[in-house]
Amino acid sequence: MNFELNMTIADLLFLLPEIFLTLWLCLVLIVDFAFPRLPKEQLAYLSVVGLVVTLGCLAWFDLTHISGALFGNMFVLDRMSIFFKMFIIGASILVILASIEYVNRFAFFRGEYYFLIVMSALGMMFMASANDLLSLFVTLEFSTFGFYVLVAYLREDLASNEAGLKFFILGVFAAGLLAYGISLVYGETGKLVFSDMASAPATPGLIIGFLLIFAALGFKIGAVPFHSWIPDTYHGAPTPVTAFLSIAPKGAAIAILLRLFFVALFTFKPMWVLLLAAVSVLSMTYANIVAIAQTNIKRLLAYSGIAQIGNVLIGMAAGTKMGNDAILFYLLTYLFANIGAFAVVIAMSQAIGSEEINDYSGLNRRSPFLAFSMLLFLLSLAGVPPLAGFIGKIYIFVAAIKEGLYTLITVGLVNIVISMYYYLIVVKKMYIAEPIDPSPIRISGPMKAVVYVGLAGTLLIGIYPQPFIDWVVSATMMFSHLPAPATTALPPIPPLGG
Amino acid sequence: MGDYALLYILFAPFFGALALIFVSNRQTLLVRGIAAGSAFISLIASLYLFYSYDPVRGGFQFIQRFEWSRQLGISLYLGVDGIGTPLVLASSILLFAGIFVSWHIKDRAKEFYIWILILAAATIGVFMSLDLFFLYFFYEMSVIPMYLLLGMWGSHTKKYLEMTDPEGVKQRDSVGFIFNFGSNSKEYAAMKLVLFLSAFAVAAFMGILLIYKYSGLNTFDILVLREHANLMNIPVLGTTLDKIIWVLIFFGFASIAPLWPLHSWSPVGHAAAPAATSMLHAGVLMKLGHFSIIRVAYEILPETTRELMPMAAVLCMFSIVYGGFVAYYAKDTKYVIGYSSSSHMGYVFLGMAALDYISLSGAVIYMFAHAMATGMLFSMAGWVYDQTHTRDIPSLGGLSNKMPFISACFVVGCMASIGMPGTINFIAEVMIIVGSWNKYPLQVIVAVLGIVLTMAYLFKMMRSLFYGPMDQKYSHSHDAVAFVDRLPLLIMISVSVGFGLFPMHLYNVVRSGVDPLIAKITHVVPVAELQAPEAPATSLHEQLAARGAQLPDSRMAQ
C-alpha cells in the first residue's frame, strides 16, 4: 500500500485550524521561556486567544460547509469532525479559564501547564478527524501524552503522583491493546482506512482485533469494565485537569467510535449492538450504585461521568442517524453541565481547600450563586427539566425507542432515579445542612465567567434546544444513508380550538 | 389579554421567579411584592380564563402552539378544556394564597418564593399541556422544587427530635428508620418524596414513549394521538400493548394522586413541608395524578380505560378507609390533614372509575373543591404551628380564646372538607356518590362511611386544638389580625362557599370537558340539557331526578 502525498496548498486549508494551533502552541511556549517574569495568567489568556481564533476558523468551516479528506483518507474534515473539534476547543477554553487561579498551586512549570492543555487539545482535534487505524493510534497517543504529564502535575501531592502512575500504566496497557488490535485487523483485512473495511468478512481474528480496539477506546471514554483508572485518577489529578479529562477525551473517543462502528463495522451491527448494550447497562448501573457511597465530590463526578457514558452508549446502540444526533446533543449538554460542576468544585477547592462533600455544607448561605449553579449543574446531569441534561436524555431515549431497545431504556430510566439520589445528597449538603464555617466565599472573575457559560448553556439548551438540535443533525450528515425507522406520515394538524 | 391568557398564567410566576433572582434578600418588601404581584397576574388571568371559557363550544380553547423541536415531534402546545380550566384556577388561587400564608417567612425568603413560584408554574403547566412531552416536562419539573421547599423550610416531626441515640451515634437516618413512619426528619421526607415520585414518573414516561413508538406518528401531540394512534390489539408478553401502556401510565401518575398503596410519601411530605408548600402540595400537586390519568389514559386509550378502570374502583376503597383511619389516630395536625387528603383523593378515583357523566364531573369538581378546603386547613395548621411551635394534637387545646378568627375559619374549613351543604365540596361529593351508585354500590357505601370518618377525625382535631382547657405556655400565641394574614383564608373560604352557592358556571365548564370524554369511553349518549343544581339545598333532589332520567340509557348500553 503506497500513500500518494500529492498535496496542494489548497488542501492545506483543511488543516488550517491544526496548523494554526500548532504554531500558536509554539508561540505560547516561546513566550513562556522568553519572558520568564511575565505573569502566568497572561499565558492563559494568550492560549485562550489562540483557541478562540481556532474556534472561529472551525465555525467558518461549519458555516461554509468546507469539507474534504487528506493523506489518502487518513485525515477527514467533515461536519462531524468539525463538531467534535469545536467541542474539544470549547472545553479547552473553559478549562483554561477555570484553572488560572488553580495554577498558582503548582510549584514548577506553571507556564507549560497551558502548553500541555493546548497540546492535548490539538491531539484530540486530530483524533476527531482520524479516519484510519494508523491515525487512530497516533492521534490517540498524541492526545494522551499531554494528559500523562498533566495528571501528575501536583508533584508534592502523593495522590496526584499515584493518579499519574495509575493513568500511565493503564493507559499504556490500553495502547498496547490498541496496537495489537490494529495489527490483527490489518492482518485480516489488509486495509487501514475505515471505509475500505466495510465489506470484510467476519473472521475470528477480525472480531478479536475490533474487540481489542473497542477495549482501548472504552478505556478512553471510561466505560465499565474499562473504568478502573477513572475514580483514582480523577481524584488525584489537579481539579482543572480532571475537568478536562472528564470531557474532551470522551468526545474525541466517541468520534472515533462513531466512525469505527458506523463506517468500518456497519455490517456487524447486530453484534456490536449487543456489545454496546451490555457495556451501557453495566456502566450505568455499576457507576450509579457505586456513586451513592462516595464522599468526595470529584469521585462522585467521576462515577457520574461513567454513568453518563452509559447513556451515550444507549444512543449508539440505537444504530441510527437519530441515535448519533442524540449522542452529539447529549455530549453538548454534558459539556456545559460537567464543566460547570467542575468549575464550582475548583472554586470551592480554592476557597476552602477541600473536595469532600461534607465541606459543602451550607454552601447556600456562604455563596448562593455557587450553590445555585451547582444545583442546576447536578440536576442537569441527573436529567431534570427544564435543564439541558433532560432534553439530552429524552433525545437518546426517543432515538432508542424507535429501534425498540426497551430493556436499555428501562435500565436508563431506572438509573435516572438512582442518580437523582446521590445528586440530591450533594444538594442536601449545600442547601439544607448548616455551614460549619459561615464565612462567605469569593470567586475570581474568570471562574465566574466559566460558571456563567455553563449556566447559560445548561439553561439555553434546556429551554430552546432547536438550534442545537439542528446543528447536531447537520453534523451527522455522513450517517444520513443509515436506514431510518419507518414512521407514518404525520396527519394534518387538527383545526385549532376544535 | 384575550387569547394569550394561558401564557400569562403560565409565565407570570416563571418571570416572577426570574426577577427575584436579581433582587437582594434584604429588600423584604420588594421580594414579597414581586412574588405576590406575579401570583396576582396569574390569578387575574386565570379568573379571566375561567369566566370566558365557553362551555357551549367546549373542547380545547385558548390554544397556543409553538414548534419546539421538529425532529422529536414536540411543540409547546397549550390549551385548556373544561377539566383543565378549574384546576388552573385552583392552582393560581392557591399560589396567591400561599404567598400570603408564607408572608412572615424570615429565612432566605427570596429563595422560598422562587421555588414556590416555580412549583406552582410547573403545576399549572401540566394542567394546560396538550403535548405529552410537555406534560411530563412540567410534571417532573414540579417535583424538584418540593425537595428544596421541604428540606430548607420544612420541619422535623416531633418524635424525630425526641429520638435519642444512646451512644451519640447518628442513627436517626439509618435503614430501619425508613419503616418508622411516625418520626421522620425533613430530609428523609424530602428525599422520599422526590425519589418516589420520580420513580413512578419514569414509569409513566415509559408509557408515553411506548405510545410515541407504537403510534408511529412521530409526535407527542395529544390531540393527534387520540385521533390517529392505533394502539389496540398488539400482542406483547402474553397480554396486549395497550394494557401495558395503560398500567404504566395509570400507576405512574397515580403515585402522586396518591392512590393506596402508593401513598406513603404523601403524609410524610405534608408533615415536613412548610404551610404554603403543603397547601400547594395537597391542593394541586396531588391532582396532577388524576389530571394526567384523565389527559393521557382517558384521551388516548379510551377502550382500555373502560376495561381496566375497575381496578381503581377497588383500590380507592382502601384509600378512603385506610387514610381515614390513620387520620383518626394520628397525633400530628399535619398528618391528620395529610391522611385526610389522601383519603379524600379516593373519592376522586371513585368518581373517575365509575365512568359516568355525573360522577366524573363530580370528581373534577371535587378536585377543585378539595384544593380550597385542604388549602384552608393546611394554612391554619401552619398558623397554629407558627404560634405554638408544636403540631402535637394532645398537647394543644383551648386556642379559640387566643385566636378566634383562626378557630372560626377552621370550623369552616372542616365543614368544607366534610362536605357541608353550602360549600362546593358538598356538590362534588353528592355528584360522585350519585353518579357511581349504579356501578359501584359497595364503594359508595364505603365512601359515605368515609364521610362519617372524616367528620370524626376533623371534629376530634378541632375540639382538641381550639376548645377545652389551654396550656399556659401557649398564652403568648395570637390571632391572625393583619390583613395579609386574613386575606388567604378569606379568599379560599369565599371561593369555596361562593361556588357552593353558585356552582352553575363551574358545573357547565366541567361538563363541557367531561362529556366528549365519557361519550368516547362508554358510548353512552349524555342526557341532553341535564340540569345542574342551582342551589345546594335542592341539589341532591335534582341530581337524583337527573340520574333517574339517565338510567334507561346506561342500561341500554350494558
Side-chain angles (χ1 to χ4, degrees), chain A residues 6-238:
Chain A
N6 48 355
M7 287 169 57
T8 62
I9 292 294
D11 285 346
L12 280 185
L13 174 70
F14 300 142
L15 272 175
L16 186 63
E18 282 83 0
I19 293 173
F20 172 77
L21 204 58
T22 314
L23 295 176
W24 198 270
L25 200 57
C26 301
L27 180 73
V28 172
L29 206 56
I30 291 166
V31 170
D32 183 30
F33 290 147
F35 305 99
R37 289 176 185 283
L38 189 76
K40 297 301 176 200
E41 66 245 39
Q42 306 291 349
L43 283 178
Y45 292 122
L46 188 69
S47 325
V48 167
V49 168
L51 289 168
V52 168
V53 173
T54 318
L55 193 64
C57 178
L58 288 165
W60 171 57
F61 281 8
D62 198 37
L63 290 175
T64 52
H65 302 268
I66 289 176
S67 58
L70 283 182
F71 315 127
N73 274 335
M74 273 177 88
F75 177 97
V76 287
L77 184 82
D78 51 16
R79 304 199 71 181
M80 193 175 84
S81 64
I82 292 173
F83 173 88
F84 277 106
K85 283 174 190 181
M86 291 175 80
F87 178 83
I88 290 157
I89 300 279
S92 316
I93 293 173
L94 293 176
V95 165
I96 289 180
L97 286 179
S99 38
I100 288 176
E101 243 191 323
Y102 195 94
V103 165
N104 295 327
R105 286 191 190 186
F106 303 144
F108 307 100
F109 311 128
R110 292 178 189 168
E112 285 91 329
Y113 173 81
Y114 300 112
F115 167 77
L116 285 168
I117 293 255
V118 181
M119 194 187 86
S120 310
L122 181 65
M124 286 182 282
M125 281 172 73
F126 277 113
M127 226 168 131
S129 277
N131 194 34
D132 79 347
L133 293 173
L134 273 186
S135 54
L136 161 64
F137 184 77
V138 173
T139 57
L140 200 115
E141 291 314 303
F142 178 24
S143 66
T144 319
F145 174 68
F147 278 116
Y148 290 145
V149 186
L150 282 171
V151 167
Y153 226 75
L154 289 166
R155 296 214 310 189
E156 311 296 315
D157 184 12
L158 273 181
S160 178
N161 285 317
E162 187 202 329
L165 203 60
K166 200 161 197 171
F167 183 43
F168 180 69
I169 291 174
L170 287 172
V172 171
F173 183 63
L177 292 183
L178 182 61
Y180 187 42
I182 288 174
S183 69
L184 281 177
V185 171
Y186 182 63
E188 289 288 335
T189 61
K191 302 278 199 301
L192 281 173
V193 177
F194 291 154
S195 47
D196 295 347
M197 298 171 199
S199 53
T203 54
L206 191 65
I207 289 169
I208 293 172
F210 273 120
L211 280 178
L212 291 172
I213 295 175
F214 177 72
L217 290 169
F219 171 84
K220 290 299 281 184
I221 59 174
V224 176
F226 316 111
H227 66 285
S228 59
W229 61 282
I230 289 216
D232 287 342
T233 306
Y234 278 30
H235 184 188

Side-chain angles (χ1 to χ4, degrees), chain A residues 364-365 384-386 391 394 398 401-402 406 420 424 428 431-432 463 465-466 469-470 488 490 497-498, chain B residues 60 63 68-72 107-108 111 115 137 140 144 147 151-152 187 198 205 212-214 216-218:
Chain A
N364 177 244
R365 290 197 193 279
V384 170
I391 316 292
I394 298 296
V398 167
I401 194 95
K402 287 195 169 177
Y406 306 113
M420 219 171 242
L424 283 180
K428 176 171 114 182
Y431 273 85
I432 300 174
I463 292 167
Q466 186 61 46
I469 292 179
D470 285 339
T488 331
L490 189 65
Chain B
F60 290 98
I63 284 185
W68 200 69
S69 166
R70 256 186 332 281
Q71 284 80 5
L72 300 175
D107 178 31
R108 293 178 276 190
E111 276 145 307
W115 292 117
F137 182 97
E140 188 67 32
I144 289 296
Y147 183 80
M152 288 165 78
E187 290 92 348
S198 301
F205 186 66
Y212 178 80
K213 151 96 176 159
Y214 280 96
L217 296 167
N218 196 29

Side-chain angles (χ1 to χ4, degrees), chain B residues 442-464:
Chain B
L442 176 63
Q443 276 85 341
V444 168
I445 291 167
V446 169
V448 172
L449 289 176
I451 295 174
V452 177
L453 210 54
T454 309
M455 284 187 196
Y457 59 72
L458 284 180
F459 283 152
K460 183 178 160 220
M461 180 167 74
M462 193 162 76
R463 190 196 62 208
S464 38

